[in-house]
Each structure stands twice: as structure tokens, then as C-alpha cells.
Amino acid sequence: MTGMKRIFSIMAALMMGCTIWAQDVFTVVFATSDDGFVNVRQKPSMKAPVLTKLYGPSHGLGQGVLRGNSGNWCKVSVGKITGWAYSKYVGELQWYEGNGQPRLVATKESTPIYTDNYKDGGMDVLYTTVRKGTILADQFTEEGIYYKLDTAHDCLYIKKTDAKVVK
């Protein structure tokens, strides 16, 4: 019986490790439904109240950020609202391939990520924040004081003072 307990302990640790790993990678989400949106609910249930909607990608960039998974549901943040969306209708975008290249890692407790600001040409519009230690990308470029994550049209930026490159 001791051997069986050990096997279950190892399996549980591996499963937890996979879950933690997936949650520690910056992932942008968007709706993939025919309607062009998916409801973000208070709890992972079709009966739970709707808090907001997650829409399809705009200029190649999703409107939300993945915060975790539970069965057929994923926890997402859309602006300042965090809730649950049905995973079947949620697409993901990452800049991390995990192929051994140097990776960009968040260094602040609440690392800000910015998007283009077409109004005044700056890059200081807050898109979201991620916690310290989150893997942001291994596909990025340097642009002035920023690390840049490219999408189909828009880009995301992380100040070089808020992240480090880990080899």
C-alpha cells in the first residue's frame, strides 16, 4: 500500500506542477464563438450570473488574460473584471514556445503590460498586469526602453525595468 500511496503522490505533484506551469505563462484570450463573444460568469456554471463578455480578437489581440483553468471552464480577466468563460469558445495567444530560447520573466509583484496608444503615439496605456515570476515570452524584440510582443497588428510592451531575460 505504501508503494501505491507514493505513486499517487508523485502523480498529484506532477499534475499540480503542470497546472502551475500553465498558469505562470502570460496568455491572452479571446472568444471563438460564431456570436463573436463568450459570456464571462461569476462562477464556472451556465447558471451563474454574467459579469461581462469576452469578445473576439481585435487587430490580432485578445481582450482578456487567462488566469487559470478548471475542467471545461477557464478563469479570465477582462479589464478589471475576473470571472469564468466556457473553454470551448475561448482561443489563446502566447509568445512563449518553450523551445529553450531565453525567456522574458516578470520581475514586479504586479508587472504592467502596455499596449499601443494611437492618441499621442506613446506606449503607456495599461493592457493588464501579471504577477512576479510569470513567463511573458521567448518570442520578443527590444524597442527602446521596452520589450515588444508582436501580434497581427497591435503590439504589447513591457518596460525593461519590469522584466528580465533568463537564459
Side-chain angles (χ1 to χ4, degrees):
M1 197 63 137
T2 305
M4 196 64 120
K5 282 183 181 178
R6 189 173 298 146
I7 290 171
F8 282 125
S9 295
I10 292 169
M11 287 175 55
L14 288 172
M15 287 173 50
M16 283 176 42
C18 291
T19 301
I20 290 168
W21 180 259
Q23 291 175 351
D24 286 339
V25 175
F26 174 55
T27 305
V28 171
V29 292
F30 53 89
T32 59
S33 68
D34 291 338
D35 298 343
F37 70 90
V38 62
N39 289 324
V40 177
R41 298 179 178 274
Q42 189 175 36
K43 295 188 238 179
S45 166
M46 293 293 196
K47 294 181 181 180
V50 174
L51 302 174
T52 190
K53 295 182 183 326
L54 174 66
Y55 291 95
S58 173
H59 299 285
L61 188 60
Q63 312 279 300
V65 178
L66 182 67
R67 302 295 183 188
N69 290 295
S70 179
N72 292 328
W73 293 84
C74 54
K75 191 172 189 179
V76 299
S77 292
V78 179
K80 294 183 180 187
I81 298 172
T82 299
W84 295 89
Y86 195 63
S87 298
K88 179 179 177 180
Y89 301 111
V90 176
E92 298 181 355
L93 174 63
Q94 290 182 351
W95 293 265
Y96 179 68
E97 294 181 2
N99 58 9
Q101 292 194 37
R103 60 191 181 277
L104 189 61
V105 178
T107 58
K108 286 184 153 182
E109 285 307 317
S110 187
T111 298
I113 298 176
Y114 304 97
T115 188
D116 299 279
N117 178 356
Y118 294 109
K119 201 175 198 181
D120 63 14
M123 291 176 273
D124 57 355
V125 175
L126 185 64
Y127 175 76
T128 192
T129 60
V130 296
R131 68 178 182 258
K132 183 177 182 178
T134 300
I135 297 170
L136 301 166
D138 59 8
Q139 308 298 309
F140 59 93
T141 57
E142 293 185 40
E143 188 172 297
I145 63 168
Y146 296 95
Y147 293 111
K148 179 180 170 187
L149 309 181
D150 290 313
T151 68
H153 183 269
D154 295 331
C155 299
L156 295 177
Y157 299 87
I158 300 100
K159 289 185 179 176
K160 289 181 178 178
T161 56
D162 297 340
K164 66 180 176 180
V165 177
V166 178
K167 298 184 188 230

